[in-house]
Amino acid sequence: MTNIILLGPPGAGKGTQAQRLVDERDMIQLSTGDMLREAKTSGTEMGKKVAAIMDAGELVTDEIVIGLISEKLDGAQGGGFIFDGFPRTLPQADALGQLLASKGLTLDYVIELKVNDEVLVDRIVGRAAEAVAAGGTARADDNAESLKVRLMEYYKKTSPLIGYYYAKGALSSVDGLGAIEDVAADISAVMGKA
Ligand code: B4P
């Protein structure tokens, strides 16, 4: 069982690459973004609380997100967990370390997807346009204003995790600017054969 973190700014391709790993290696994707979007539509008190925060592009509280992840770690099976969009703060990283240790699990790779801001803006705006063209609605946070906040949140609160995991000897960086297949090949090279 191999457990990995995919780390990178909004639109870096964490969700896209996680989905490939699910298909190719029978891993379990734990996307806090997906969990929170689900909570948003559930009509619960927690859902209402997170909706406004997410739509503005800010980070949901550590307490809520750690609680969501903790619930999912029981009954681990298959090829391992992909932590997609989690942790996003240093307290979340500490909590993940403790949760894994308490369940006898290891963290095998932290893979940073390196991109630049212009590409991120193009991808997010592109995703919103595609959703509308397909007759749906764009994600409430996929607009220029929220993206600015999401990027600031990333640089202030999430990017320190690069140093945190580097110091632990767990960090690998891949070029996230290439085609989806090329990024996937680089991730496979880090993880070794399935
Ligand atoms: P997330 O759902 O994690 O979304 P993301 O960071 O915006 O996207 P990701 O990197 O997964 O990009 P994707 O593959 O989809 O977070 C949303 C919000 O939830 C946060 O702002 C926050 O409010 C909240 N949240 C989530 N986790 C939290 C936590 N731990 N703590 C607190 N709050 C939390 O790719 C984007 C687009 O690019 C797609 O259209 C894709 O097709 C395209 N693309 C991907 N790779 C490409 C490539 N190589 N080339 C060209 N296009 C590519």
Side-chain angles (χ1 to χ4, degrees):
M1 198 172 157
T2 305
N3 301 309
I4 70 162
I5 293 173
L6 293 178
L7 192 62
K14 303 179 295 288
T16 303
Q17 296 300 330
Q19 196 49 59
R20 289 184 74 106
L21 290 167
V22 169
D23 296 341
E24 289 166 11
R25 295 181 183 242
D26 190 29
M27 295 179 79
I28 299 168
Q29 177 187 11
L30 296 183
S31 159
T32 40
D34 288 349
M35 291 176 207
L36 291 166
R37 277 186 286 279
E38 212 174 284
K40 249 176 84 171
T41 55
S42 67
T44 61
E45 273 315 302
M46 195 262 269
K48 287 180 204 152
K49 218 161 46 175
V50 302
I53 300 173
M54 286 180 80
D55 293 356
E58 289 161 16
L59 292 185
V60 174
T61 64
D62 290 337
E63 194 192 2
I64 289 178
V65 185
I66 292 164
L68 287 173
I69 284 283
S70 170
E71 283 172 17
K72 304 275 180 183
L73 289 186
D74 290 320
Q77 51 177 311
F81 291 114
I82 307 155
F83 297 98
D84 161 13
F86 178 90
R88 260 177 157 94
T89 64
L90 290 167
Q92 291 181 20
D94 283 336
L96 178 62
Q98 284 161 17
L99 277 171
L100 289 172
S102 73
K103 293 175 197 301
L105 300 172
T106 53
L107 178 60
D108 299 289
Y109 304 102
V110 178
I111 303 175
E112 178 202 4
L113 299 176
K114 275 176 116 60
V115 284
N116 64 43
D117 289 2
E118 284 116 80
V119 165
L120 298 179
V121 175
D122 288 349
R123 286 185 189 176
I124 298 277
V125 170
R127 175 165 66 186
E130 266 173 36
V132 172
T137 44
R139 253 171 61 174
D141 59 347
D142 275 354
N143 59 72
E145 207 177 313
S146 294
L147 183 59
K148 225 185 277 172
V149 178
R150 285 158 70 191
L151 282 171
M152 281 312 290
E153 291 281 78
Y154 175 78
Y155 290 118
K156 274 196 291 194
K157 298 178 182 163
T158 308
S159 66
L161 297 182
I162 294 169
Y164 176 96
Y165 286 116
Y166 174 78
K168 287 182 185 289
L171 187 77
S172 301
S173 297
V174 304
D175 179 6
L177 292 174
I180 290 172
E181 297 70 35
D182 296 337
V183 180
D186 287 348
I187 291 174
S188 273
V190 169
M191 295 177 65
K193 289 269 168 278

